């Protein structure tokens, strides 16, 4: 087997929130990393993660087959992390999450790439009433059709220093006297630390995951949305009203917010919020989890204070 330093891993979406942590986990093992991104000029923050020449950012357009193949050429493994939370222009769920994964997997197969890891999400379901969830399921199916030995990673909400979940609501709490609890805040979540997700991806590239399997990743604690808001407020030392928003009212809110350039809530996200987002019993029984990979998941209580302190009334140096 080739040494890690001899292996090149192409990471599509390597400059994003999860991507930068995956790149770090790979280079720490000695892999060479090619970050395939839309804007290589904005990926400079990746360079300090590895040694000189160990990380190289290249331009890639996942809507163009030739661009995909150029990014993969010469690689020993491929990781696809590209995903969107809402649609804008040409960035649609169908294009980005349903079609592109299969196209990337097909190119990887034709080029002779051995290992493939596809980032999906808990809740991916071809029968879902959410276009996001259906597109994630379609992406998984497209990958497994072309690369039956691929490893699928399905995390719950991913948290960490650059996340768009706790940071967003902590920022709201800094100025707003109240926070909304969609549907009463009863939807259950199992937030997972981004570093643990990255480690799972790296272990899959190491060959430590079961080929052709789908892993569901969740942290050590399951809480409902209200509980997550209470934890966040406790960490930043603020007291705010938590106001239940009935589904009917939330539907109107989502319709309005969904028209914004960067929506905080869309109608499709609202449909997702009606379903719990936790690791399934089947995945636990089959050890297709972090624990099954030998990873002890880190808790929100340990990690959140390290990056939410700046939202405290007197700042992070309180």
């Amino acid at each position: 087997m080739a040494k890690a330093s001899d292996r090149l891993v192409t990471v599509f979406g390597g400059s994003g929130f999860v991507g930068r942590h995956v790149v770090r986990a790979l280079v720490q093992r000695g892999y060479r990393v090619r970050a395939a991104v839309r804007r290589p000029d904005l990926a400079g923050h990746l360079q300090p993660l590895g040694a000189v020449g160990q990380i190289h950012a290249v331009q890639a357009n996942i809507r163009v087959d030739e661009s995909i193949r150029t990014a993969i050429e010469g690689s020993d493994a491929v990781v696809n992390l590209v995903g969107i939370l809402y649609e804008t222009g040409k960035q649609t769920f169908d294009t980005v999450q349903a079609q592109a994964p299969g196209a990337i997997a097909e190119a990887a197969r034709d080029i002779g790439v051995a290992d493939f890891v596809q980032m999906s999400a808990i809740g991916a379901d071809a029968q879902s009433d959410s276009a996001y969830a259906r597109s994630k399921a379609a992406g998984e199916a497209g990958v497994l059709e072309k690369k039956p030995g691929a490893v699928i990673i399905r995390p719950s909400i991913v948290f960490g220093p650059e996340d768009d979940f706790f940071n967003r609501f902590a920022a709201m709490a800094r100025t707003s006297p109240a926070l909304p609890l969609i549907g009463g805040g009863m939807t259950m979540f199992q937030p997972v630390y981004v570093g643990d997700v990255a480690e799972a991806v790296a272990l899959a590239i190491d060959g430590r995951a079961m080929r052709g399997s789908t892993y569901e990743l969740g942290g050590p604690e399951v809480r409902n949305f209200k509980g997550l808001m209470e934890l966040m407020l406790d960490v930043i030392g603020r007291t705010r009203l938590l106001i239940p928003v009935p589904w009917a009212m939330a539907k109107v809110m989502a319709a309005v917010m969904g028209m914004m350039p960067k929506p905080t809530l869309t109608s499709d996200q609202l449909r997702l919020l009606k379903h719990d987002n936790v690791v399934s019993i089947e995945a636990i029984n089959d050890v297709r989890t972090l624990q099954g990979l030998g990873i002890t998941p880190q808790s929100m209580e340990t990690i959140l204070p390290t990056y939410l302190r700046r939202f405290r009334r007197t700042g992070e140096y309180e």
Side-chain angles (χ1 to χ4, degrees), residues 49-88:
L49 301 179
V52 175
Q54 192 177 9
I55 301 168
H56 178 53
V58 299
Q59 200 281 332
N61 186 339
I62 58 172
R63 298 192 301 272
V64 180
D65 288 345
E66 187 58 35
S67 179
I68 291 173
R69 291 176 181 274
T70 299
I72 294 176
E73 196 67 50
S75 299
D76 300 286
V78 169
V79 178
N80 180 35
L81 305 174
V82 179
I84 54 176
L85 295 175
Y86 53 85
E87 298 178 309
T88 55

Side-chain angles (χ1 to χ4, degrees), residues 1 8 12-13 44 66 93 167 195 197 219 228 236 278 296 318:
M1 183 176 178
L8 172 63
F12 286 86
E66 187 58 35
F93 291 140
N167 278 302
V197 174
L228 295 179
I236 66 174
V278 299
T296 300
E318 182 179 11

Side-chain angles (χ1 to χ4, degrees), residues 179-220:
L179 297 175
L181 299 177
I182 305 299
M186 293 296 104
T187 305
M188 305 300 293
F189 296 93
Q190 195 171 352
V192 58
Y193 175 51
V194 65
D196 293 334
V197 174
E199 182 67 12
V201 172
L203 285 172
I205 296 299
D206 287 343
R208 299 270 299 280
M210 295 180 285
R211 287 178 173 271
S213 295
T214 298
Y215 283 78
E216 297 186 13
L217 310 186

Side-chain angles (χ1 to χ4, degrees), residues 123-141:
D125 182 357
Q127 306 304 317
S128 175
D129 57 353
S130 160
Y132 173 89
R134 291 196 303 273
S135 69
K136 282 292 189 180
E140 292 181 4

Side-chain angles (χ1 to χ4, degrees), residues 237-277:
R238 295 178 185 270
T239 302
R240 294 291 183 265
L241 291 174
L242 297 176
I243 302 177
V245 179
W247 292 111
M249 185 180 297
K251 186 176 181 179
V252 176
M253 289 173 53
V256 174
M257 293 178 179
M259 294 186 291
M260 298 177 181
K262 292 186 177 181
T264 53
L265 180 66
T266 67
S267 297
D268 196 72
Q269 290 169 348
L270 186 63
R271 287 188 281 272
L272 281 174
L273 283 172
K274 291 185 178 181
H275 305 278
D276 292 340
N277 195 275

